[in-house]
Amino acid sequence: MTIEPHGANDLPEHKPRRADVDPRAAKRAERQVGFMFLASGLASAAFIVAYIATPIDDTIPLPGFGTTNASNLFLGISMGLALFLIGAAAIHWAKKLMPDVEIIQERSAESSPDDERGALLDEYRRGVDESTVKRRPFILGSMVAALGLAGLPAIVLLRDLGPLPGTVLRETMWEPGMHILIAETQQKIRPEDMEVGTLVSAVPEGIELVMEEEGNLNALAKAAVMLIRMDPNEIVADQTPEGQEPWTYQGIMCYSKICTHVGCPLGLYEQLTHHMLCPCHQSTFDLADAGNVIFGPAARSLPQLAITVDEDGYLVAREGFAEPVGPSFWERG
Amino acid sequence: MSTSKVEQAGGAGYRWVDDRLPAAKYLKKQLGKVFPDHWSFMLGEIALYSFIILLLSGTFLSLWFKPSMLEVVYDGSYLPLNGVKMSEAFASTLDISFDIRGGLLMRQIHHWAALFFVAAISVHLLRVFFTGAFRKPRETNWIIGVGLLTLALLEGFAGYSLPDDLLSGTGLRIAQGIMLSLPVVGTYMSFFVFGGEFPGTDFIPRLYTVHVLLVPGIILALITVHLMLVWFQKHTQFPGMGRTERNVVGYPLFPVYTAKAGGFFFVVFGVTAFMGGLFQINPIWLYGPYIPDQITAGAQPDWYIGWLEGALRLMPNIEIVLFGQWNLSLNVLFPAVILPGIIFTLMALYPFIEQWATGDKSSHHLLDRPRNAPTRTALGAMGLSFYLLLWTQGGNDLIASTFDVNVFVITWFMRFAIFIVPPLVFVITKRICFGLQRRDRDKLLHGYESGVIKRLPSGKYYEQHQPIGDEERAVILARHEAPQPLPIPAKHDANGIKQKGYAIKLLQAKLSHFFYDERLPIPTAAEIEEANHHEAEITADRDHEIDDARTKAFAPHE
Amino acid sequence: MTFLLARRRSPWATALLLLLALVAVGGIYAAASGSTQAEATAPTASTTMIEEGRELFLEGCSSCHGLNADGGYQSDGTVAGPSLIGVGAASVDFQVSTGRMPLAAPGAQAKAKPPIFNEEETAALAAYIGSLAPGPEIPSPDLYDTTGISPEELALGGQLFRANCASCHGASGKGGALTDGKYAPTLANAVPRNIYQAMLIGPQNMPNFPDTTLRPEDKRAIIGYIEAIRESPNNGGVDAGRLGPVTEGIVLWLLGLGALISVAIWIGVKAK
């Protein structure tokens, strides 16, 4: 048998299936298909029974995998069976009982014949001519301009999606003298409450009120800080500018909790190495060394908050953050 | 035999339609339309069916889900969160999971189907790429496919973000951080999208509209066009006996494909339902509500965003301040915006790039075997290895804690591997392709090794070769001769004048060399004939030798 | 915790068990069985115990921590073991009863393993170190016993857990990676006493949460929450380790897509 350059030849010889030659095999396949359809029906019924009969909070052991919710399990399995069996039956039917002789169908021509293309082009030219657009360019020009401008209102309409940024990204709630409270429990903290190695997630005093007034969590997304205390001898540097009173108080440092990369909250603090890791992209900051980045994609140090104590001995902010917290933005500088 | 009830009913229904919309001639042709059969042609179907499952399960969820960021105090059935303040979105997701029968199942089906949707699109895309199914006349459909993949990623991420649990909120925070990194417009964009600062209260309702209306609408429209194009251009087919560029070999739409494809829809739905019942996904009650100062270790996106997460983790910390006032955060911008931009653009334009480089303007309906397009296959494998490295890097913390490896070491390894591994993969894949081509050639010329070892009377052993079967011959021969690469253009013409468009022509010629420098010719019919003849002669000689010896050995002694 | 654990056995349980045994073949994750570490009662330090502890210390710990527990140095001057003066009995009990000490091999951090010293020996060691200088005492059982914890406390515990613990140990307490090969261990098998001690003393690289910043009732609530989620059913089914989207992705590709592609291949193969 010779073979045409690119493979075309008669189809391979068709081998009859068992069901094609043996009526018993065909009957068997028919029964299998029918049985699957019936079983699917049963599974659908089982779904309804499970829906009604299984209390929603019932649990059931999953051998080797703890316990799970009985309702979810029964509904999932019965629904899965009901659907899967319909599919399996149909496929089995097609494979065993429907014809499996391959058919050759010619592809239709891909492109139109040249005369038809030409005719279309002529028709198009006729339309262009009749529209007089060629003779009256003013119409075309003004129409294009009008269509272009008609899109603008749609964009302008979106203007009120949000306020302009202004300077709010540079500001946080922190103000001089504001108490530093433990997040969640809202307690004030004294320096002596913290041991070397203590980590406290903290927020500015009054943040609950602000968030309630504003009706959102925006304040927290910027003002969240963490307090850590370390042995003063182990502090290499902090962010106190030259000539200012130290921002660190008795080995207690307060840093922004918002990563300078893309803004995930931090909190993975290693008290021996003083490393602070961001779980999102593994930026690592050395809190004993002015919050500098020692690994990962963050480019800027964690902003430090200057702290001191008030007359009652509670930790307070000495001033607001000296730089914007959180991820960089174009106008940040 | 009288007409059955099925036929009667079908006939009546059809007459009703045709009285109003005469379509008999057209439909008759369509019912008998032939589709080729191959398992890899079902991958796109998985994506289509997952999308239908998503529409069905999503509609169910929307009956209870409240896309609102208003704060409520939860008092539903899940006790460990009772009395906790959270958004209505999160609370209603808890209600769906704990207080509505079948709600958790539907949530899990919806989530699994979403993962299936993107996974099926991805493997479908790989199949189309590696078999060259994107070539003329199917370039448009390829672009639509790339668009669908992009939209699927967007849609999936939107869905992941809606329940407002700790993971989805963290994902949104990252998305907002990426927005902020955009030069000039970033801050404004973030404020418009979020209705002010992050997180605000506008975003989830807005995202909900995008997730249930805008993006699915576009996806649906694109899928329709995608399928119509498949329909009218007819499906491609793998080479084999009887299959040419001009025909389609397979089974008719009705009844065989109606049963197979329709059945497969139920199979996909059934498997998704099984997974919804048996495998827990996104247990938001364990993550808790989103609060902007909380975070969980192992914060991860769904699998299809993993490569972007990996790119962000891989990137060194380069941030430039321009003129002391403009912040260009390349550490975010490059991995999260520029890189995916480049990748998706290259992917969408690939059919045109290949066409331009190879000068191949003809239509193709027979698929390439990957080995027969070594450069393309190697490029694809290279891209895949690049993707897989980023993907792995996206889970580096989990790899570190599960296998007790240093996470910094993994990152450093990846920072080098991303430049070293893909080129290696390119070279190795290309070599493997040519190796396979050579083996095909050998098979054509010398047959396959039958495994029958014979010993000649002289004591020499040899393995008998058998000619390959017709089907295999047809498959191996169905390939185009790789063309000569374009000649490198001269910079100056005969008169010493610099040629117009020299640089572009040079690039094209270089690309052409990149694709076709190395070629393995297909044996000609004469060569095959000759080799077969030669092979047959050797076999005959040897057989003769053996027979001779045998005759001698068993001949009665004189 | 009883209200959470009210796993009423359904009559279908046995039938389902058989079915699942079939389905679960080749399952990807076998839940590690919980350790059955016995709860040690807080010891009252007697002089004999202290003396006994000193003997054990000299034998098992002094090579690194020094003969007087004031720290030991290697020949090159690096610290072999830190000073234990003032670390308190709680610290010793945590490190020794979880098997972290004595150290098996140097590494990024001491790993938990089956304890080397038995309960009495651990108590003696703790008594000895506790006697050297004042430090955190072994907490009494009523501090970490969460029997009868109220839903309000449980919810508070959850909030505190997510605020203070989840960042390292993960929202479902499965642990996570830290910098340079260190890690936050899983809480799957941690006993309440050890969890309490860990918060109090901040072992190794873990920061500490003294009673002044995290009140004893807060600590108890956190322990209650950890126990609650640990024992809570996986409502959705097999949990793939509660490790989140990464393992879910693996389940999808290996099981889900694997199953669908198998069916696709079945469709494509000619019937016999």
PDB file of all heavy atoms in Angstrom, chain C residues 177-200:
ATOM      1  N   ALA C 177       6.091  28.903  58.315  1.00  0.00           N
ATOM      2  CA  ALA C 177       7.514  29.166  58.208  1.00  0.00           C
ATOM      3  C   ALA C 177       7.857  30.532  58.788  1.00  0.00           C
ATOM      4  O   ALA C 177       7.075  31.462  58.697  1.00  0.00           O
ATOM      5  CB  ALA C 177       7.932  29.108  56.741  1.00  0.00           C
ATOM      6  N   LEU C 178       9.038  30.624  59.393  1.00  0.00           N
ATOM      7  CA  LEU C 178       9.579  31.907  59.826  1.00  0.00           C
ATOM      8  C   LEU C 178      10.870  32.146  59.040  1.00  0.00           C
ATOM      9  O   LEU C 178      11.154  31.437  58.081  1.00  0.00           O
ATOM     10  CB  LEU C 178       9.828  31.897  61.339  1.00  0.00           C
ATOM     11  CG  LEU C 178       8.555  31.806  62.193  1.00  0.00           C
ATOM     12  CD1 LEU C 178       8.903  31.598  63.649  1.00  0.00           C
ATOM     13  CD2 LEU C 178       7.718  33.070  62.030  1.00  0.00           C
ATOM     14  N   THR C 179      11.655  33.115  59.479  1.00  0.00           N
ATOM     15  CA  THR C 179      12.840  33.446  58.695  1.00  0.00           C
ATOM     16  C   THR C 179      13.920  32.385  58.868  1.00  0.00           C
ATOM     17  O   THR C 179      14.004  31.731  59.920  1.00  0.00           O
ATOM     18  CB  THR C 179      13.416  34.804  59.127  1.00  0.00           C
ATOM     19  OG1 THR C 179      14.007  34.662  60.409  1.00  0.00           O
ATOM     20  CG2 THR C 179      12.339  35.862  59.181  1.00  0.00           C
ATOM     21  N   ASP C 180      14.728  32.236  57.828  1.00  0.00           N
ATOM     22  CA  ASP C 180      15.967  31.462  57.912  1.00  0.00           C
ATOM     23  C   ASP C 180      15.833  30.069  58.488  1.00  0.00           C
ATOM     24  O   ASP C 180      16.654  29.647  59.305  1.00  0.00           O
ATOM     25  CB  ASP C 180      16.966  32.253  58.781  1.00  0.00           C
ATOM     26  CG  ASP C 180      18.072  32.830  57.907  1.00  0.00           C
ATOM     27  OD1 ASP C 180      18.309  32.270  56.827  1.00  0.00           O
ATOM     28  OD2 ASP C 180      18.681  33.832  58.313  1.00  0.00           O
ATOM     29  N   GLY C 181      14.820  29.344  58.093  1.00  0.00           N
ATOM     30  CA  GLY C 181      14.697  27.960  58.531  1.00  0.00           C
ATOM     31  C   GLY C 181      13.962  27.768  59.841  1.00  0.00           C
ATOM     32  O   GLY C 181      13.701  26.639  60.250  1.00  0.00           O
ATOM     33  N   LYS C 182      13.624  28.860  60.503  1.00  0.00           N
ATOM     34  CA  LYS C 182      12.847  28.713  61.736  1.00  0.00           C
ATOM     35  C   LYS C 182      11.374  28.557  61.372  1.00  0.00           C
ATOM     36  O   LYS C 182      10.972  28.826  60.246  1.00  0.00           O
ATOM     37  CB  LYS C 182      13.063  29.929  62.631  1.00  0.00           C
ATOM     38  CG  LYS C 182      14.501  30.054  63.113  1.00  0.00           C
ATOM     39  CD  LYS C 182      14.696  31.228  64.037  1.00  0.00           C
ATOM     40  CE  LYS C 182      14.832  32.539  63.324  1.00  0.00           C
ATOM     41  NZ  LYS C 182      16.049  32.697  62.537  1.00  0.00           N
ATOM     42  N   TYR C 183      10.596  28.094  62.325  1.00  0.00           N
ATOM     43  CA  TYR C 183       9.179  27.912  62.031  1.00  0.00           C
ATOM     44  C   TYR C 183       8.363  28.028  63.306  1.00  0.00           C
ATOM     45  O   TYR C 183       8.885  27.831  64.404  1.00  0.00           O
ATOM     46  CB  TYR C 183       8.937  26.532  61.398  1.00  0.00           C
ATOM     47  CG  TYR C 183       9.365  25.388  62.270  1.00  0.00           C
ATOM     48  CD1 TYR C 183       8.478  24.786  63.161  1.00  0.00           C
ATOM     49  CD2 TYR C 183      10.675  24.927  62.228  1.00  0.00           C
ATOM     50  CE1 TYR C 183       8.879  23.757  63.976  1.00  0.00           C
ATOM     51  CE2 TYR C 183      11.090  23.895  63.060  1.00  0.00           C
ATOM     52  CZ  TYR C 183      10.187  23.310  63.935  1.00  0.00           C
ATOM     53  OH  TYR C 183      10.595  22.301  64.772  1.00  0.00           O
ATOM     54  N   ALA C 184       7.101  28.351  63.130  1.00  0.00           N
ATOM     55  CA  ALA C 184       6.157  28.290  64.246  1.00  0.00           C
ATOM     56  C   ALA C 184       5.535  26.913  64.198  1.00  0.00           C
ATOM     57  O   ALA C 184       5.003  26.517  63.165  1.00  0.00           O
ATOM     58  CB  ALA C 184       5.093  29.367  64.092  1.00  0.00           C
ATOM     59  N   PRO C 185       5.626  26.149  65.301  1.00  0.00           N
ATOM     60  CA  PRO C 185       5.148  24.763  65.219  1.00  0.00           C
ATOM     61  C   PRO C 185       3.629  24.680  65.134  1.00  0.00           C
ATOM     62  O   PRO C 185       2.916  25.623  65.461  1.00  0.00           O
ATOM     63  CB  PRO C 185       5.651  24.151  66.534  1.00  0.00           C
ATOM     64  CG  PRO C 185       5.797  25.301  67.452  1.00  0.00           C
ATOM     65  CD  PRO C 185       6.166  26.478  66.618  1.00  0.00           C
ATOM     66  N   THR C 186       3.165  23.545  64.676  1.00  0.00           N
ATOM     67  CA  THR C 186       1.728  23.295  64.664  1.00  0.00           C
ATOM     68  C   THR C 186       1.213  23.185  66.103  1.00  0.00           C
ATOM     69  O   THR C 186       1.933  22.754  66.993  1.00  0.00           O
ATOM     70  CB  THR C 186       1.403  22.006  63.901  1.00  0.00           C
ATOM     71  OG1 THR C 186       0.041  21.653  64.174  1.00  0.00           O
ATOM     72  CG2 THR C 186       2.283  20.859  64.310  1.00  0.00           C
ATOM     73  N   LEU C 187      -0.026  23.577  66.319  1.00  0.00           N
ATOM     74  CA  LEU C 187      -0.627  23.470  67.649  1.00  0.00           C
ATOM     75  C   LEU C 187      -1.512  22.229  67.727  1.00  0.00           C
ATOM     76  O   LEU C 187      -2.243  22.052  68.684  1.00  0.00           O
ATOM     77  CB  LEU C 187      -1.464  24.722  67.939  1.00  0.00           C
ATOM     78  CG  LEU C 187      -0.704  26.050  67.826  1.00  0.00           C
ATOM     79  CD1 LEU C 187      -1.647  27.221  68.047  1.00  0.00           C
ATOM     80  CD2 LEU C 187       0.437  26.096  68.828  1.00  0.00           C
ATOM     81  N   ALA C 188      -1.417  21.380  66.702  1.00  0.00           N
ATOM     82  CA  ALA C 188      -2.336  20.241  66.628  1.00  0.00           C
ATOM     83  C   ALA C 188      -2.236  19.342  67.857  1.00  0.00           C
ATOM     84  O   ALA C 188      -3.232  18.799  68.322  1.00  0.00           O
ATOM     85  CB  ALA C 188      -2.068  19.437  65.361  1.00  0.00           C
ATOM     86  N   ASN C 189      -1.009  19.170  68.378  1.00  0.00           N
ATOM     87  CA  ASN C 189      -0.843  18.231  69.487  1.00  0.00           C
ATOM     88  C   ASN C 189      -0.434  18.899  70.793  1.00  0.00           C
ATOM     89  O   ASN C 189      -0.105  18.228  71.754  1.00  0.00           O
ATOM     90  CB  ASN C 189       0.207  17.180  69.121  1.00  0.00           C
ATOM     91  CG  ASN C 189      -0.142  16.483  67.827  1.00  0.00           C
ATOM     92  OD1 ASN C 189      -1.301  16.145  67.609  1.00  0.00           O
ATOM     93  ND2 ASN C 189       0.841  16.317  66.951  1.00  0.00           N
ATOM     94  N   ALA C 190      -0.406  20.229  70.802  1.00  0.00           N
ATOM     95  CA  ALA C 190       0.055  20.914  72.004  1.00  0.00           C
ATOM     96  C   ALA C 190      -0.981  20.779  73.120  1.00  0.00           C
ATOM     97  O   ALA C 190      -2.175  20.950  72.886  1.00  0.00           O
ATOM     98  CB  ALA C 190       0.308  22.383  71.693  1.00  0.00           C
ATOM     99  N   VAL C 191      -0.499  20.457  74.330  1.00  0.00           N
ATOM    100  CA  VAL C 191      -1.421  20.317  75.454  1.00  0.00           C
ATOM    101  C   VAL C 191      -1.644  21.700  76.070  1.00  0.00           C
ATOM    102  O   VAL C 191      -0.777  22.570  75.982  1.00  0.00           O
ATOM    103  CB  VAL C 191      -0.899  19.325  76.512  1.00  0.00           C
ATOM    104  CG1 VAL C 191      -0.771  17.946  75.909  1.00  0.00           C
ATOM    105  CG2 VAL C 191       0.417  19.791  77.086  1.00  0.00           C
ATOM    106  N   PRO C 192      -2.813  21.910  76.691  1.00  0.00           N
ATOM    107  CA  PRO C 192      -3.143  23.240  77.217  1.00  0.00           C
ATOM    108  C   PRO C 192      -2.059  23.815  78.123  1.00  0.00           C
ATOM    109  O   PRO C 192      -1.757  25.005  78.050  1.00  0.00           O
ATOM    110  CB  PRO C 192      -4.438  22.991  77.991  1.00  0.00           C
ATOM    111  CG  PRO C 192      -5.047  21.823  77.316  1.00  0.00           C
ATOM    112  CD  PRO C 192      -3.917  20.975  76.835  1.00  0.00           C
ATOM    113  N   ARG C 193      -1.457  22.985  78.978  1.00  0.00           N
ATOM    114  CA  ARG C 193      -0.454  23.506  79.905  1.00  0.00           C
ATOM    115  C   ARG C 193       0.704  24.126  79.127  1.00  0.00           C
ATOM    116  O   ARG C 193       1.164  25.220  79.431  1.00  0.00           O
ATOM    117  CB  ARG C 193       0.065  22.375  80.807  1.00  0.00           C
ATOM    118  CG  ARG C 193       0.995  22.860  81.917  1.00  0.00           C
ATOM    119  CD  ARG C 193       1.483  21.718  82.792  1.00  0.00           C
ATOM    120  NE  ARG C 193       2.690  21.086  82.286  1.00  0.00           N
ATOM    121  CZ  ARG C 193       2.735  19.904  81.700  1.00  0.00           C
ATOM    122  NH1 ARG C 193       1.622  19.211  81.535  1.00  0.00           N
ATOM    123  NH2 ARG C 193       3.880  19.400  81.277  1.00  0.00           N
ATOM    124  N   ASN C 194       1.146  23.413  78.091  1.00  0.00           N
ATOM    125  CA  ASN C 194       2.262  23.915  77.295  1.00  0.00           C
ATOM    126  C   ASN C 194       1.888  25.168  76.509  1.00  0.00           C
ATOM    127  O   ASN C 194       2.698  26.079  76.349  1.00  0.00           O
ATOM    128  CB  ASN C 194       2.773  22.839  76.340  1.00  0.00           C
ATOM    129  CG  ASN C 194       3.519  21.727  77.066  1.00  0.00           C
ATOM    130  OD1 ASN C 194       3.507  20.586  76.636  1.00  0.00           O
ATOM    131  ND2 ASN C 194       4.155  22.053  78.187  1.00  0.00           N
ATOM    132  N   ILE C 195       0.650  25.209  76.012  1.00  0.00           N
ATOM    133  CA  ILE C 195       0.228  26.416  75.282  1.00  0.00           C
ATOM    134  C   ILE C 195       0.268  27.611  76.236  1.00  0.00           C
ATOM    135  O   ILE C 195       0.774  28.688  75.893  1.00  0.00           O
ATOM    136  CB  ILE C 195      -1.198  26.238  74.713  1.00  0.00           C
ATOM    137  CG1 ILE C 195      -1.260  25.038  73.763  1.00  0.00           C
ATOM    138  CG2 ILE C 195      -1.629  27.503  73.964  1.00  0.00           C
ATOM    139  CD1 ILE C 195      -2.655  24.752  73.234  1.00  0.00           C
ATOM    140  N   TYR C 196      -0.233  27.374  77.436  1.00  0.00           N
ATOM    141  CA  TYR C 196      -0.258  28.458  78.426  1.00  0.00           C
ATOM    142  C   TYR C 196       1.158  28.926  78.729  1.00  0.00           C
ATOM    143  O   TYR C 196       1.463  30.120  78.729  1.00  0.00           O
ATOM    144  CB  TYR C 196      -0.955  27.965  79.705  1.00  0.00           C
ATOM    145  CG  TYR C 196      -1.344  29.096  80.631  1.00  0.00           C
ATOM    146  CD1 TYR C 196      -2.659  29.575  80.642  1.00  0.00           C
ATOM    147  CD2 TYR C 196      -0.418  29.687  81.472  1.00  0.00           C
ATOM    148  CE1 TYR C 196      -3.025  30.615  81.471  1.00  0.00           C
ATOM    149  CE2 TYR C 196      -0.781  30.726  82.311  1.00  0.00           C
ATOM    150  CZ  TYR C 196      -2.087  31.190  82.317  1.00  0.00           C
ATOM    151  OH  TYR C 196      -2.444  32.221  83.141  1.00  0.00           O
ATOM    152  N   GLN C 197       2.042  27.947  78.979  1.00  0.00           N
ATOM    153  CA  GLN C 197       3.431  28.287  79.281  1.00  0.00           C
ATOM    154  C   GLN C 197       4.090  29.032  78.136  1.00  0.00           C
ATOM    155  O   GLN C 197       4.822  30.003  78.339  1.00  0.00           O
ATOM    156  CB  GLN C 197       4.223  27.001  79.580  1.00  0.00           C
ATOM    157  CG  GLN C 197       3.869  26.369  80.908  1.00  0.00           C
ATOM    158  CD  GLN C 197       4.379  24.949  81.007  1.00  0.00           C
ATOM    159  OE1 GLN C 197       4.571  24.285  79.991  1.00  0.00           O
ATOM    160  NE2 GLN C 197       4.582  24.484  82.235  1.00  0.00           N
ATOM    161  N   ALA C 198       3.814  28.579  76.908  1.00  0.00           N
ATOM    162  CA  ALA C 198       4.444  29.215  75.751  1.00  0.00           C
ATOM    163  C   ALA C 198       4.065  30.691  75.679  1.00  0.00           C
ATOM    164  O   ALA C 198       4.907  31.555  75.431  1.00  0.00           O
ATOM    165  CB  ALA C 198       4.040  28.497  74.468  1.00  0.00           C
ATOM    166  N   MET C 199       2.787  30.984  75.895  1.00  0.00           N
ATOM    167  CA  MET C 199       2.364  32.386  75.859  1.00  0.00           C
ATOM    168  C   MET C 199       3.062  33.172  76.964  1.00  0.00           C
ATOM    169  O   MET C 199       3.494  34.310  76.777  1.00  0.00           O
ATOM    170  CB  MET C 199       0.848  32.482  76.035  1.00  0.00           C
ATOM    171  CG  MET C 199       0.069  31.987  74.841  1.00  0.00           C
ATOM    172  SD  MET C 199      -1.694  32.344  74.969  1.00  0.00           S
ATOM    173  CE  MET C 199      -2.298  30.879  75.762  1.00  0.00           C
ATOM    174  N   LEU C 200       3.197  32.523  78.123  1.00  0.00           N
ATOM    175  CA  LEU C 200       3.747  33.215  79.291  1.00  0.00           C
ATOM    176  C   LEU C 200       5.232  33.511  79.127  1.00  0.00           C
ATOM    177  O   LEU C 200       5.688  34.623  79.409  1.00  0.00           O
ATOM    178  CB  LEU C 200       3.522  32.324  80.515  1.00  0.00           C
ATOM    179  CG  LEU C 200       3.680  32.962  81.885  1.00  0.00           C
ATOM    180  CD1 LEU C 200       2.622  34.037  82.058  1.00  0.00           C
ATOM    181  CD2 LEU C 200       3.533  31.897  82.967  1.00  0.00           C
TER     182      LEU C 200
END
